[in-house]
Amino acid sequence: MKERTSRIPGFHGLSIEERARRVAEWAKLDDAELALLFESGLTAERANQMIENVVGTHALPLGIAPNFSVNDRDYLIPMAIEEPSVVAAASYMARIVREAGGFRTCSTEPVMIGQIQILDLPDPWSARFDLLCHKQRLLDLANQTDPVVVSLHGGARDVQVRVFPDTPVGPMLVMHLLYDTRDVMGANTVNTAVEALAPVVEEITGGRVHLRILSNLADHRLAQAKCVIPTDLLEFTDSTGSTTYRGEQVAQGIVEAYTFAALDPYRAATHNKGIMNGIDAVALACGQDWRAIEAGAHAYAAREGRYTSLSTWTRDLNGQLVGTLEIPLAVGTVGGATRVHPGAKVALKILGVQTARELAEVMAAVGLAQNLGALRALATEGIQRGHMTLHARQIAIAAGATGDQVQAIAARLVAERKVRLDRAQELLAEAHPQLPEDARTTEGKEGGTEPSQGRTPKAPADLGV
Ligand code: NAD
């Protein structure tokens, strides 16, 4: 029996306060943690301990995607992102997949790669042999650097050596230390280990160690997600109510759209960007190193020498739509900013993951949901119609609209198909002929409360890139 459900009908129509209350109830947040949803709690003082030359902090909208079911467990997904439609698309696609039984995920052990570059070698093949023969000595030494990780049954796992016999700087060896970092992302852990190995590697090979650093191509640390959707669940009527797309047509359209991304790097880049919209938003909310995730994802997408789609979309023998995603995800539930950034701590509590592997698997499911949302829109009505409805709100706010004006002006911009700042300013001037432009701008910047006491206007929740 499931204890709680992440299916919260009408969540997007609630006020901000009510949404936050429902999330706090779900995640058993105390009052202080609930308050952190509104103020991330990252004081300038705390920020100053994190990086250099701090002058303040920078906030992003934090949204929650409900409806996620992953391996029969329900999740509310915290997403920090400035781009409209992403949270809506993830939520809506999760709802469809939920009806189809939810996402299935799995992952490898959290093994990272630390690289050691060795130069000045007369015979790199002989040096490679020597390193492999001393594998146990190297592993034992690496395991002395972090007793905490070793006590948690992580630590050094293997040594691999690659040879580049002829380079502009002479023969070069690259030794990989494979290291299970358990619940941390692991950059510091692995960097410490490879630095400790350097003198022994020099002694064994007779060469000179140059770089000692983690690789962000974390291809031993993969998360996989899958969904299988009966075509009838894909039928929908577009946001204007004028066109209905049959499920069969949507499923086949998604497979055709995926084929484009699988074959063409120009399309694959945008296709994968859509996947990363979801993954990065969770990463940001949960204090993860999103640059590391991005670097790993795109390098993995090009692992066979040609950049391609990270996901696949096919039909099974029953005609059901089958989506899979495989992506390296170096993420942690401890370490890095996860315990230092108060907002990230709360986001991780909402997500409720127990291990780094579970976090990676949920993120892979979010990436697949996001990808489905984008392909479904692209394969049917196109992304602009729905996306522009939400984007128009940002344009209206940028023009200086506040309160109920935001939705009113956004609706006009969409109806006129002129989602442009100049038109928003004209509409605002018509609404406020007495106000000089400066006054309207000031009103927009400082007096700006969210429209209708924070209630999100009913926007079609089926959008996203
Ligand atoms: P960390 O250095 O903050 O913490 C790692 C330590 O936490 C471990 O060494 C271990 O002693 C301890 N620990 C406690 N509980 C643990 C558990 N359950 N599992 C494993 N270890 C546990 O974190 P990190 O993940 O090693 O480093 C991440 C940081 O390094 C990020 O902030 C990242 O931005 C940064 N970084 C990234 C790169 C890169 O991606 N190329 C390079 C350098 C630094």
Side-chain angles (χ1 to χ4, degrees):
M1 261 300 265
K2 279 183 182 170
E3 266 179 36
R4 51 184 189 172
T5 173
S6 65
R7 174 89 188 96
I8 310 177
F11 186 69
H12 77 276
L14 302 175
S15 68
I16 297 176
E17 291 75 15
E18 182 57 19
R19 277 189 222 124
R21 197 189 61 72
R22 299 282 286 270
V23 170
E25 209 171 77
W26 158 280
K28 298 190 172 53
L29 304 183
D30 62 26
D31 288 349
E33 289 168 330
L34 173 61
L36 286 174
L37 294 180
F38 297 94
E39 294 290 334
S40 78
L42 185 61
T43 59
E45 197 186 350
R46 175 66 64 92
N48 201 34
Q49 290 159 349
M50 293 172 74
I51 65 160
E52 311 75 36
N53 298 352
V54 165
V55 293
T57 59
H58 175 91
L60 281 176
L62 176 70
I64 294 286
N67 304 330
F68 273 82
S69 167
V70 181
N71 296 338
D72 297 322
R73 200 182 150 199
D74 275 23
Y75 295 88
L76 292 182
I77 312 289
M79 303 176 83
I81 187 160
E82 83 297 344
E83 186 175 343
S85 332
V86 172
V87 178
S91 311
Y92 192 42
M93 294 307 115
R95 202 177 99 195
I96 292 176
V97 174
R98 178 187 190 83
E99 283 177 49
F103 292 95
R104 298 287 136 195
T105 61
C106 56
S107 57
T108 62
E109 296 290 331
V111 173
M112 298 295 284
I113 300 169
Q115 296 193 292
I116 297 180
Q117 179 194 24
I118 310 146
L119 298 169
D120 301 348
L121 292 161
D123 181 356
W125 293 104
S126 171
R128 177 178 184 272
F129 174 86
D130 292 339
L131 280 173
L132 292 175
C133 286
H134 285 86
K135 181 189 287 190
Q136 197 53 51
R137 183 180 168 201
L138 293 163
L139 296 181
D140 291 345
L141 182 61
N143 277 333
Q144 286 171 22
T145 56
D146 198 328
V148 177
V149 174
V150 173
S151 74
L152 295 165
H153 310 294
R157 292 284 185 258
D158 201 4
V159 168
Q160 298 175 343
V161 188
R162 296 156 63 223
V163 179
F164 298 87
D166 186 18
T167 83
V169 291
M172 184 169 91
L173 269 196
V174 177
M175 187 188 116
H176 282 188
L177 174 70
L178 271 52
Y179 191 108
D180 182 330
T181 65
R182 295 287 89 198
D183 292 317
V184 287
M185 180 265 183
N188 289 323
T189 312
V190 169
N191 288 343
T192 305
V194 286
E195 289 198 1
L197 291 187
V200 178
V201 168
E202 287 189 338
E203 181 201 312
I204 293 170
T205 60
R208 174 173 62 91
V209 165
H210 193 41
L211 302 193
R212 299 140 297 162
I213 181 76
L214 170 98
S215 169
N216 286 111
L217 177 49
D219 60 359
H220 291 269
R221 193 176 190 174
L222 300 171
Q224 292 96 0
K226 177 181 170 187
C227 60
V228 180
I229 310 173
T231 50
D232 57 329
L233 292 178
L234 293 167
E235 178 169 318
F236 78 106
T237 302
D238 74 0
S239 40
T240 63
S242 57
T243 313
T244 294
Y245 296 94
R246 288 178 299 106
E248 166 62 31
Q249 184 186 357
V250 177
Q252 196 52 30
I254 287 173
V255 172
E256 289 167 2
Y258 152 69
T259 306
F260 184 4
L263 295 175
D264 178 13
Y266 288 92
R267 173 62 205 138
T270 322
H271 176 96
N272 290 341
K273 190 271 183 184
I275 293 171
M276 301 315 289
N277 271 343
I279 289 176
D280 284 345
V282 182
L284 268 166
C286 295
Q288 305 299 313
D289 183 339
W290 50 270
R291 287 88 50 208
I293 293 172
E294 280 281 335
H298 296 292
Y300 192 65
R303 66 193 178 282
E304 278 161 17
R306 185 176 59 82
Y307 187 88
T308 187
S309 166
L310 286 164
S311 64
T312 65
W313 291 95
T314 51
R315 310 284 299 274
D316 69 9
L317 290 175
N318 300 320
Q320 301 183 109
L321 180 66
V322 182
T324 71
L325 173 65
E326 179 172 271
I327 184 168
L329 280 170
V331 293
T333 49
V334 288
T338 57
R339 301 286 166 102
V340 182
H341 191 301
K345 259 166 81 175
V346 174
L348 277 168
K349 186 167 177 184
I350 293 169
L351 203 52
V353 290
Q354 302 304 314
T355 62
R357 281 180 68 174
E358 187 184 355
L359 173 59
E361 291 184 25
V362 172
M363 288 170 77
V366 176
L368 190 58
Q370 214 71 60
N371 190 214
L372 174 62
L375 294 184
R376 174 182 173 275
L378 285 167
T380 54
E381 58 181 336
I383 63 156
Q384 279 311 76
R385 185 183 290 170
H387 183 74
M388 277 301 164
T389 310
L390 294 177
H391 179 59
R393 288 165 41 75
Q394 285 194 342
I395 296 284
I397 292 167
T402 60
D404 290 340
Q405 285 175 337
V406 175
Q407 185 53 20
I409 289 180
R412 282 282 298 275
L413 295 176
V414 172
E416 293 176 2
R417 294 177 185 264
K418 287 184 190 161
V419 185
R420 297 195 320 257
L421 187 62
D422 60 324
R423 182 59 187 144
Q425 283 164 339
E426 278 171 21
L427 291 170
L428 200 60
E430 284 169 19
H432 278 295
Q434 74 284 15
L435 283 181
E437 190 166 324
D438 279 358
R440 287 197 303 273
T441 309
T442 308
E443 185 188 351
K445 279 183 184 153
E446 292 174 8
T449 52
E450 279 296 301
S452 313
Q453 289 77 48
R455 206 172 288 271
T456 302
K458 255 184 141 12
D462 57 349
L463 320 169
V465 171

